[in-house]
Amino acid sequence: MIQIKGLSKIYKTKKQQVQAVDDVSLTINQGEIFGVIGYSGAGKSTFIRLINRLEEPSNGTISIHNKDITKMSATELRLKRQKIGMIFQHFNLLWSRTVFDNIAFPLEIAGVPKATRAEKVNELIQLVGLAGKENSYPSQLSGGQKQRVGIARALANDPEVLLCDEATSALDPETTDDILDLLVSINKKLQLTIILITHEMHVIQKICHRVAVMENGKVVESGDVLDVFVRPQSKTTKRFVQQLNPLEHDQASLKEFITSREDSEVVKLHFIGNNAKRALITDVIKQFDVEINILQGSIAPTREGAYGTLYIELNGSKDVLASSIQFMREQSVEVEVLQHVE
């Protein structure tokens, strides 16, 4: 478990000071993939560099497995960093070394014997899907292959935590998905805690268990990915959710579809988990004398299950409309009645 309390980072110059991270407190559970998302300048990259003290915190504490790394001496910290792997946006490989030698580098620094080192490197090459590329140089690899080398190198010393700083930002969408699938596989096989920094909601959606949203150095929202997606609270989170579902929070686009009848209601439905696959609209039409006009909708998968949003217009008598809405609520579907679509 990682416990972060009151973490802050202030950069000072002669003329001003900049609060890059502002009083952040988080608990990250053992074995989970925890995402931190924010726009450029939110403080997320500074935050992840504070976790392994590549940046020194101005205030606060960081405990990994009940050991406060903010109080460690230089010698203690050097040993602890061997158990904190890190992968970077631009790979940071040694261009004069082969794939094998790049992965072996941290083991050399740690003083691991040559035979043991070779066995470990070969194991990692298989794990990340680079068999046959052992003797290739970084210049001979694709972007995805380079990042696989970076991941293998970060795993060389059997870390307790893997930090990923925009690890997929330099990759095309298909390669990004391949790398994310690899991180999920590593997380499952090794039960490794992964902290992932990104500005892409797709990355959070695909692999994270929980997420924190950063803005101006602060965490403005955090929780289970599914809960944050379905019930975004902050303006920043709503903007990120809209990346995945452009129709969400754009109620103005509904106006052209609405009939403006007096005997109608516009309703927004949220389907979560298995309910996203239900034929709810068919059930309502079968049971009630109501006409349903589907306005717009979408469904998206997350690591913890699917969620969907559907906007519908219900036409019928006042009593029937009330009964239909109550029925939908009884089916474990979140129902929001939009009296006026602005």
Side-chain angles (χ1 to χ4, degrees), residues 17-30:
Q17 62 179 32
V18 177
Q19 183 100 41
V21 175
D22 189 357
D23 194 26
V24 169
S25 296
L26 291 169
T27 297
I28 299 169
N29 300 320
Q30 173 66 32

Side-chain angles (χ1 to χ4, degrees), residues 164-181:
C164 305
D165 188 6
E166 297 279 9
T168 60
S169 295
L171 306 175
D172 63 75
E174 184 175 351
T175 306
T176 290
D177 282 344
D178 289 342
I179 294 298
L180 294 179
D181 288 341

Side-chain angles (χ1 to χ4, degrees), residues 295-307:
L295 304 177
Q296 62 185 26
S298 67
I299 187 168
T302 73
R303 181 84 183 268
E304 301 302 306
Y307 80 99

